[in-house]
Amino acid sequence: MTSEKKDNSIKARIEHLSAALHNGTERFFEKLGGLVVNYPGATIGLCLLFVVIMAQGVWLYEEELAADKQFTPRDSQAVNEETWVVDRFGHENRPVYLQVEADDGTNMLTKASLLYMQEMHEWLLSQSLIVDGEDVTYNVVCARYTKDDDCKSPVSVLSYWQHNRTLLEADPNPLSTINSVDWRDIEPSGPPLSYYVGSDAVRDASGALVSTRATRIIYNLKNEKEDISGVGNDDPQSRYFEILVAEKSADRRSADRQAHSAETYILTEGEEAEAGIEAGQDDIASLFIGYFLMLFYASFVLSRGRVKYSHSILGLVSVVSIGLSTFSAYGLCWYIGIKFNTVVQVLVLVLLGVGIDDTFVIMDSWWDCSEIPTMKERMIAALKHAGPAVTITSVTDLIAFLAGSSTELPALRDFCYYATFGILFVFFFQCTFVVAFAYLDSVRQERGRSDILCCVPVDDETGVCVKKDGSWTEGEKGIQNRIVGTHMPRLVLGTLVGKVVVILISCLLFGLGIYGCTKVKMNFNQEWFIPDGDAIEDAMDVRDTYFNGQSLPANVYFSDINYPQEQDTMFDSLSVLRRNRWVVANSTSSWMEDFQQWVKKEHVADWDQSAGRIVPSQFYRLLRVFASTATGPRSAWQHIDNIRWSSNGSDSLVASRVGFLIVGDALANGENAVDCMDNLRAELSGSEFPWAFMFLFWESYKLMVPEITQNVAIAGSCVFVLVTIMIANVQLGLLVTLAIGCVDVCMLGFMPFIGVELNGVSVICIVLAVGLSVDYSVHIAGAFLHVKCEDGDEHSGRTQRAAFALWKMGPAVVNGGT
């Protein structure tokens, strides 16, 4: 007696495992189909009950609106430094820019123009509104050096007259005053006068100012942040005051131009944030429009010439089931404490693509089973055959998004969690909720009722929308099915020329993608979220035109330093700043420098001439006098909030800072930003460190390329293993993985060609591409592999099998992708 030798090779084991999984999946869906078609009402009811349970998560809803917390890892250097800074100095003051632009030929340095600027200054100080029952004026929201001090003085060319109308009116020649009085006598520290009079200022041969078309006043408002519903962490009084003055200044521009040949543009943090929120609300409306367009498209694809055999109502059912899946995913994530963020808003579009594709696969299988006599058996058979395809794509999508959740970028990580649950629930609702309605719709068909108007009987012979030659049958494919399933295989696979053309086009696209990858630039700008035509755009244009763009305020912070003994340390840092190419010239503001100048002038006996420093034993005594004497120099008051005394009352400092401005070029793109941040950190790496709020975003730039590489590599590896096991074919597993890589390379590479830059938002889109490309690639690969199993030797050749795979799955993939 002989027996066949058992094949124990790895390939045989994988094939055995794949076959077992495939057969087991078919048996599972056969049983599931039996339950659904026997109890369709109960199935629908249980699905809706599940949604109601998940919906209770809305009571635990939290939204993360702070952009830095969405795109910056919480354990990054910039976040740790921010914690240190806020603990000691609080949040930075909020700057408000009152910018005045004159008509061509009008000089803003004339007395009349300066008086108009003074008028606008007084107008801003007079504005008020009610916030939480409290009357809020400039005097309420202005920043102060200490709680009991007067408001910090605004800074502008009007500082020559202390922003006082009487002093300005009494000056017979303001332009002469500007040119004869040293700006440093007016503002001992901080940016030079050119920072306030505009880059188009005209000077004569001696360097004296002659004219300028734009000037600005910079105010500082308090920034005591708290949680605001629908806004996030912000100072409500300052925010709404900023929005008020920005909107009111826009309302009076036309009258100002006629009366003064000049206009005022107020640029504020609050108005910019509000414009971004309004744009986000407009985007939500666009999402709903896209949702309804998908509804109409799905209904069109599922319709047929005769309304008896049409299933367009299932398009509505499928879209509704995706809405239920989305809401269920939201609810579950809120249950477990995953915050909502702006990126998650696009989840519904991802789930629409996946869910509609599953519906098409199920219904295509249903049409292919048209020879089965009873609707129950037909629906069970359809789900049995479609189930493995829907399962493998859903599982691979889950794996892809789970891999994406390993990222350090918070918004991307949370989005992947939402997407993972969303894919899971789409799979659940498609196989239950949609199948239950599909069975009820097939009963409607069996009873000869109309598709949409299901109570209206339809003539079996004529129908309502029958083709002219009367040749339309239930199983006939629509035009998109004929193009993808019939004509495309003939063109692409029917001849050697077709195959060569496809390969050449693919290579060309891949080559362009690789070339484009070398041109990708990193950048993120919140101004992109401001809609075209918004009033704040005009204010930004004035800033960019006349004030050299958006210079960035920053500080160097000192912690563990013996100030009396290490006075030179701060001067070394100051020298580094003044030499650094990323620092605006003459923009540094050092309390130590001004303090030493004051001691040399007012307390000569306490100045150690040989050492070039203040006598260490007298350092803290004199510093307290310098920082608290009302009759002291103006620079002393400017520096009160740049030093922090020990909380135990001793004469010692626990922290201090030196202010400076970063040049606008650092904001041009991500590469410049990272270079600037790394350069400043490298040169100031002792007991001091540089920090600016934008460092929180620049930190994320450093992670972009590693994050993309890591996520695509992890997702690709997981998908390869999973696909290889489920379809038992290493070559097809490699092809699917290669397809994912090609899609991402082309997505990344074509971004420069269409003006898209690499940032947290575009990284999320690349991760989405992994999930969606897996979905469609696996559908085609699975259909190609299982042709022999279903059709014997008829399609045994590779070309014939590929053509049949396109005919069987191509239309569903194209429709789902559309």
Side-chain angles (χ1 to χ4, degrees):
M1 184 174 178
T2 62
S3 61
E4 292 185 6
K5 185 177 180 180
K6 188 175 181 180
D7 189 351
N8 288 319
S9 65
I10 294 178
K11 179 180 179 182
R13 291 180 180 181
I14 292 176
E15 289 177 348
H16 178 74
L17 176 60
S18 176
L21 288 172
H22 184 82
N23 294 333
T25 305
E26 283 194 332
R27 287 194 298 271
F28 169 78
F29 280 102
E30 186 175 22
K31 292 181 179 180
L32 177 63
L35 286 172
V36 171
V37 300
N38 282 308
Y39 306 101
T43 300
I44 294 170
L46 289 173
C47 288
L48 294 177
L49 177 62
F50 177 79
V51 175
V52 171
I53 294 173
M54 290 295 101
Q56 302 312 303
V58 72
W59 302 110
L60 301 173
Y61 168 84
E62 286 187 85
E63 183 174 4
E64 184 58 79
L65 292 167
D68 58 299
K69 292 183 179 178
Q70 293 184 47
F71 297 105
T72 307
R74 294 295 87 194
D75 60 349
S76 65
Q77 180 178 344
V79 171
N80 293 332
E81 291 170 346
E82 180 194 33
T83 302
W84 187 95
V85 169
V86 172
D87 284 346
R88 290 158 179 79
F89 292 92
H91 295 283
E92 294 289 328
N93 295 154
R94 305 164 67 102
V96 171
Y97 303 92
L98 188 153
Q99 306 168 133
V100 182
E101 179 191 32
D103 289 340
D104 283 331
T106 300
N107 182 4
M108 278 304 302
L109 298 181
T110 64
K111 188 170 186 176
S113 295
L114 291 172
L115 283 170
Y116 166 64
M117 192 175 178
Q118 176 69 30
E119 176 187 330
M120 291 306 304
H121 165 67
E122 294 168 354
W123 169 87
L124 184 144
L125 267 56
S126 69
Q127 298 305 300
S128 66
L129 75 160
I130 303 297
V131 177
D132 295 331
E134 182 179 349
D135 188 24
V136 175
T137 64
Y138 174 78
N139 198 52
V140 172
V141 298
C142 68
R144 305 170 189 272
Y145 292 114
T146 63
K147 186 175 181 180
D148 298 324
D149 287 332
D150 293 333
C151 295
K152 288 184 179 180
S153 298
V155 184
S156 73
V157 67
L158 295 178
S159 296
Y160 282 100
W161 303 275
Q162 301 173 30
H163 293 86
N164 184 297
R165 175 180 290 274
T166 301
L167 294 178
L168 177 58
E169 288 177 337
D171 191 332
N173 191 342
L175 184 58
S176 175
T177 300
I178 293 172
N179 287 314
S180 60
V181 178
D182 187 349
W183 173 252
R184 287 305 174 192
D185 291 336
I186 305 299
E187 291 294 325
S189 60
L193 178 61
S194 59
Y195 190 67
Y196 303 96
V197 298
S199 58
D200 72 328
V202 177
R203 295 178 181 269
D204 62 18
S206 65
L209 276 170
V210 176
S211 66
T212 186
R213 193 180 165 188
T215 58
R216 66 177 173 181
I217 307 174
I218 300 181
Y219 305 84
N220 284 287
L221 304 189
K222 67 184 182 69
N223 198 12
E224 299 168 1
K225 294 188 175 184
E226 60 183 72
D227 286 330
I228 307 175
S229 177
V231 172
N233 200 243
D234 206 347
D235 185 314
Q237 293 180 332
S238 294
R239 177 189 181 86
Y240 295 123
F241 183 83
E242 290 172 356
I243 295 172
L244 173 75
V245 296
E247 291 179 347
K248 281 194 172 183
S249 68
D251 293 339
R252 59 174 290 168
R253 280 179 199 155
S254 178
D256 284 349
R257 182 164 291 279
Q258 292 180 0
H260 304 283
S261 299
E263 292 179 338
T264 296
Y265 300 86
I266 295 181
L267 186 60
T268 71
E269 179 182 317
E271 176 69 3
E272 186 174 347
E274 189 70 14
I277 290 175
E278 291 175 357
Q281 293 170 344
D282 293 341
D283 289 341
I284 292 175
S286 300
L287 285 176
F288 277 108
I289 293 173
Y291 200 82
F292 283 108
L293 288 175
M294 179 62 77
L295 166 62
F296 288 121
Y297 179 77
S299 296
F300 168 74
V301 171
L302 294 171
S303 65
R304 289 293 182 266
R306 290 185 179 184
V307 292
K308 173 183 175 180
Y309 300 114
S310 183
H311 298 276
S312 57
I313 191 67
L314 291 182
L316 171 62
V317 172
S318 180
V319 172
V320 168
S321 77
I322 294 164
L324 298 177
S325 304
T326 305
F327 200 55
S328 297
Y330 286 170
L332 181 56
C333 287
W334 297 334
Y335 266 127
I336 60 180
I338 302 176
K339 291 184 178 181
F340 190 81
N341 61 61
T342 51
V343 176
V344 177
Q345 293 176 0
V346 303
L347 176 65
V348 65
L349 298 181
V350 179
L351 300 185
L352 275 171
V354 174
I356 291 293
D357 179 60
D358 290 344
T359 299
F360 291 152
V361 170
I362 293 171
M363 290 309 297
D364 273 0
S365 181
W366 189 85
W367 275 308
D368 290 341
C369 297
S370 58
E371 295 181 359
I372 297 178
T374 67
M375 290 301 176
K376 278 190 176 183
E377 293 176 352
R378 182 176 177 182
M379 196 72 249
I380 293 172
L383 187 58
K384 173 185 175 182
H385 293 304
V390 172
T391 300
I392 189 173
T393 55
S394 298
V395 172
T396 49
D397 285 340
L398 280 171
I399 294 297
F401 284 116
L402 277 175
S405 66
S406 65
T407 180
E408 293 186 58
L409 301 176
L412 176 56
R413 181 188 61 238
D414 291 348
F415 175 83
C416 287
Y417 287 142
Y418 276 89
T420 298
F421 291 124
I423 296 292
L424 179 64
F425 292 141
V426 163
F427 174 71
F428 169 72
F429 281 105
Q430 288 291 316
C431 296
T432 53
F433 186 83
V434 172
V435 170
F437 271 102
Y439 169 68
L440 294 176
D441 195 51
S442 67
V443 173
R444 181 271 312 160
Q445 173 185 320
E446 190 175 40
R447 294 176 179 176
R449 304 285 180 171
S450 173
D451 178 16
I452 303 295
L453 304 174
C454 56
C455 295
V456 178
V458 178
D459 191 311
D460 232 3
E461 296 298 326
T462 61
V464 176
C465 301
V466 69
K467 290 174 67 177
K468 290 182 179 180
D469 60 2
S471 61
W472 197 288
T473 65
E474 177 191 350
E476 184 173 351
K477 304 290 186 180
I479 183 170
Q480 69 274 31
N481 300 68
R482 294 195 295 273
I483 291 174
V484 179
T486 304
H487 301 307
M488 185 180 290
R490 290 175 183 171
L491 289 173
V492 174
L493 302 170
T495 64
L496 178 62
V497 173
K499 296 175 182 178
V500 171
V501 169
V502 169
I503 293 173
L504 288 177
I505 292 175
S506 300
C507 291
L508 175 62
L509 292 174
F510 186 68
L512 287 173
I514 292 176
Y515 171 75
C517 287
T518 65
K519 303 297 180 182
V520 171
K521 296 292 184 183
M522 292 186 295
N523 200 14
F524 180 82
N525 193 330
Q526 289 182 310
E527 295 176 16
W528 296 339
F529 296 93
I530 296 174
D532 292 337
D534 194 280
I536 198 174
E537 275 196 324
D538 295 329
M540 291 176 175
D541 289 341
V542 171
R543 177 199 65 195
D544 295 339
T545 302
Y546 300 104
F547 300 103
N548 296 318
Q550 187 180 358
S551 299
L552 180 66
N555 290 282
V556 176
Y557 292 89
F558 297 83
S559 55
D560 299 326
I561 178 175
N562 185 332
Y563 290 93
Q565 299 293 340
E566 300 179 49
Q567 297 174 42
D568 289 343
T569 298
M570 296 193 70
F571 282 94
D572 292 341
S573 299
L574 201 61
S575 298
V576 169
L577 282 178
R578 288 171 175 167
R579 293 194 307 267
N580 194 285
R581 60 192 175 93
W582 295 109
V583 177
V584 174
N586 302 316
S587 69
T588 53
S589 173
S590 169
W591 67 269
M592 178 69 81
E593 190 173 44
D594 290 342
F595 176 39
Q596 287 196 350
Q597 291 297 324
W598 176 76
V599 170
K600 284 194 288 186
K601 182 178 180 180
E602 303 290 338
H603 297 268
V604 179
D606 296 314
W607 177 257
D608 186 340
Q609 186 66 38
S610 60
R613 66 179 185 177
I614 301 168
V615 174
S617 62
Q618 302 301 313
F619 185 90
Y620 284 123
R621 179 184 66 81
L622 293 174
L623 182 59
R624 285 197 180 275
V625 175
F626 174 73
S628 61
T629 303
T631 57
R634 176 177 169 80
S635 60
W637 288 98
Q638 290 178 324
H639 291 310
I640 287 176
D641 59 349
N642 290 329
I643 58 177
R644 289 293 180 269
W645 292 96
S646 173
S647 59
N648 61 17
S650 63
D651 276 340
S652 62
L653 295 181
V654 294
S656 71
R657 62 186 176 186
V658 171
F660 65 99
L661 292 174
I662 294 175
V663 297
D665 285 346
L667 299 167
N669 55 61
E671 286 78 8
N672 283 6
V674 172
D675 186 20
C676 170
M677 180 174 67
D678 287 347
N679 181 263
L680 288 170
R681 284 175 172 174
E683 293 194 1
L684 299 163
S685 57
S687 59
E688 73 277 19
F689 65 88
W691 190 84
F693 179 75
M694 286 302 294
F695 281 16
L696 294 170
F697 298 98
W698 296 357
E699 194 82 56
S700 66
Y701 290 152
K702 299 177 69 172
L703 298 173
M704 291 299 171
V705 174
E707 285 295 310
I708 291 175
T709 305
Q710 172 185 301
N711 280 285
V712 173
I714 293 175
S717 301
C718 293
V719 167
F720 168 71
V721 172
L722 184 64
V723 171
T724 301
I725 291 174
M726 296 189 75
I727 65 178
N729 191 293
V730 176
Q731 292 92 333
L732 282 179
L734 287 171
L735 282 175
V736 169
T737 307
L738 178 63
I740 296 171
C742 289
V743 167
D744 274 338
V745 166
C746 288
M747 269 199 70
L748 186 64
F750 277 77
M751 282 166 48
F753 301 143
I754 58 176
V756 176
E757 294 173 299
L758 186 63
N759 51 58
V761 177
S762 53
V763 165
I764 288 172
C765 293
I766 292 171
V767 171
L768 292 182
V770 173
L772 294 178
S773 58
V774 164
D775 200 43
Y776 305 135
S777 301
V778 170
H779 270 319
I780 298 296
F784 174 84
L785 188 68
H786 290 102
V787 166
K788 279 198 300 184
C789 301
E790 297 178 358
D791 295 81
D793 295 330
E794 184 181 350
H795 307 292
S796 58
R798 285 182 300 177
T799 299
Q800 290 77 14
R801 293 171 67 192
F804 186 81
L806 274 178
W807 178 84
K808 186 173 181 63
M809 279 295 180
V813 168
V814 170
N815 288 328
T818 304

